Amino acid sequence: MGYDIERFVGYVNEGLLCSICRDVLEDPLQAPCEHAFCTACIHGWLIHHSNCPEDRQTLDVSLLRPLYRYMKNDLNRLQLHCKNREYGCEMVCSLESIDRHERECEYSQILCSNAGCTVQIERRNLDGHLAVCEYRSRECPNGCGYTILSAEDTQHNCVAELRTELELLRSEMICRVEEAKHEMESRLDSQRRHMVQKESILQNEIEELKSQMSRMMSDVRSLMAAERQHRQELEQAELEKRELMELLKGLQKDCRLNTTEGNKKSTNFRPLTRLESVKRKPREVTVI
Ligand SMILES: [Zn+2]
Ligand SMILES: [Zn+2]
Ligand SMILES: [Zn+2]
Ligand SMILES: [Zn+2]
Ligand SMILES: [Zn+2]
């Protein structure tokens, strides 16, 4: 949008003026026809036109180039007044450095630096304003740790502030304790459920073991009974054996008597019948 030509000191070459706003070029661009414009001016023009505003030659944004270096140097060397001249700034400097000056110019209007304050003031008066600004703040001189806005200075009461803070902390603490309690309870509950499950599993296992045990005991008992039976049978067999041996001895004696007496024909059948009766006696067999 160009620099107001009125701000410049001395003669400004016609070639350094924008063909659109007729002020001194700001951020200049140059068309192939060598006409120069402020960037903002020519971009605005080309939205509705497709030619050079000076000579109507065809023009497009892509054809715009930076200004020739010698023209750029001429432009940068131009001397002009600060934009705050009407407020009292007497600074005159080159176009190249005017932006830097204006950023720091003591006559520039700036916003108060206190949060919430909307006062606009010249930079040179800022310190004076800050000293009385309603939004200035300071740490409480009584040591409560609060930052007090100057507007609230007279109402500040350390005890009341601290009491409010304490109440806040207390309710927060109660909340946290409640949460912790709930969590602990739910954890305990789940542990309890787990234990109950485990207990019933163990109980079942114990029952199973008990029944296995009783089965084994009855097995042992029947084995012992079988054992007893065997022993009795063995004793019986032993008795029979002894009887048989005695019979055998008796028979042998009879035989010897028969051979010595020779002619004697009488035969005693009694021992033989006894042997037969023993043989026929049924044997009890126990199968386990
Ligand atoms: Zn312009
Ligand atoms: Zn042109
Ligand atoms: Zn200034
Ligand atoms: Zn302020
Ligand atoms: Zn205080």
Side-chain angles (χ1 to χ4, degrees):
M1 273 293 123
Y3 296 98
D4 185 356
I5 194 155
E6 296 297 318
R7 288 172 57 191
F8 288 80
V9 179
Y11 171 73
V12 179
N13 190 319
E14 182 78 14
L16 298 179
L17 300 182
C18 169
S19 325
I20 297 170
C21 66
R22 306 310 299 172
D23 280 327
V24 177
L25 291 165
E26 182 178 3
D27 279 336
L29 286 173
Q30 189 172 267
C33 56
E34 296 194 354
H35 286 119
F37 322 92
C38 313
T39 296
C41 293
I42 192 62
H43 280 171
W45 170 269
L46 287 177
I47 289 172
H48 299 295
H49 305 81
S50 48
N51 53 22
C52 168
E54 198 80 351
D55 54 25
R56 305 290 157 181
Q57 285 193 45
T58 305
L59 184 57
D60 179 83
V61 176
S62 64
L63 298 173
L64 296 169
R65 296 280 176 271
L67 201 62
Y68 289 135
R69 185 181 293 273
Y70 75 91
M71 283 174 74
K72 184 89 180 152
N73 288 342
D74 284 351
L75 195 64
N76 282 339
R77 276 197 291 269
L78 291 176
Q79 298 286 306
L80 76 164
H81 288 281
C82 170
K83 69 176 177 185
N84 298 316
R85 186 185 185 185
E86 56 178 314
Y87 303 111
C89 182
E90 288 172 358
M91 174 59 95
V92 173
C93 64
S94 66
L95 186 64
E96 194 173 20
S97 45
I98 194 74
D99 281 348
R100 194 173 59 233
H101 163 74
E102 285 175 358
R103 273 197 300 276
E104 293 159 5
C105 177
E106 286 292 299
Y107 293 84
S108 285
Q109 293 280 318
I110 55 163
L111 200 64
C112 169
S113 54
N114 284 331
C117 180
T118 53
V119 168
Q120 286 227 342
I121 198 156
E122 283 179 16
R123 180 174 278 112
R124 64 198 175 107
N125 295 330
L126 182 64
D127 285 346
H129 167 73
L130 285 178
V132 296
C133 175
E134 281 188 12
Y135 290 85
R136 75 188 189 280
S137 58
R138 62 183 180 132
E139 193 156 306
C140 172
N142 299 325
C144 76
Y146 271 79
T147 303
I148 316 164
L149 282 180
S150 97
E152 298 163 350
D153 213 341
T154 50
Q155 301 150 20
H156 176 73
N157 179 333
C158 295
V159 175
E161 296 280 10
L162 287 175
R163 188 169 290 157
T164 316
E165 172 114 2
L166 199 66
E167 279 304 317
L168 216 70
L169 283 176
R170 186 179 293 157
S171 59
E172 220 170 87
M173 187 77 100
I174 288 171
C175 263
R176 258 188 236 162
V177 166
E178 280 297 314
E179 266 170 36
K181 212 168 108 185
H182 274 302
E183 192 182 329
M184 200 76 101
E185 271 171 7
S186 80
R187 219 182 281 174
L188 273 174
D189 254 7
S190 81
Q191 270 183 5
R192 207 172 294 142
R193 276 198 296 277
H194 187 69
M195 296 283 273
V196 167
Q197 265 179 10
K198 258 215 156 128
E199 197 193 336
S200 86
I201 289 170
L202 280 173
Q203 199 68 45
N204 286 345
E205 278 174 12
I206 285 172
E207 289 304 320
E208 176 67 21
L209 282 171
K210 268 186 187 165
S211 75
Q212 273 182 21
M213 184 83 167
S214 77
R215 275 203 298 278
M216 273 166 70
M217 288 303 280
S218 78
D219 284 356
V220 165
R221 267 197 297 278
S222 59
L223 275 172
M224 276 166 78
E227 161 89 7
R228 224 175 296 131
Q229 175 105 26
H230 273 297
R231 206 174 297 144
Q232 277 173 6
E233 277 171 22
L234 268 175
E235 278 166 16
Q236 184 73 33
E238 191 65 34
L239 273 177
E240 283 172 12
K241 190 181 146 196
R242 225 174 291 150
E243 260 176 56
L244 283 171
M245 289 298 280
E246 266 165 39
L247 265 175
L248 200 60
K249 257 184 244 169
L251 278 173
Q252 279 170 347
K253 212 189 274 176
D254 287 351
C255 262
R256 266 197 303 275
L257 276 175
N258 283 347
T259 44
T260 48
E261 284 172 20
N263 48 359
K264 211 171 184 180
K265 296 272 163 76
S266 65
T267 313
N268 193 355
F269 288 102
R270 200 184 55 88
L272 269 177
T273 47
R274 261 194 79 186
L275 187 63
E276 285 298 307
S277 76
V278 170
K279 272 185 183 166
R280 274 194 217 103
K281 200 169 164 188
R283 272 273 178 89
E284 273 182 65
V285 180
T286 315
V287 183
I288 305 159

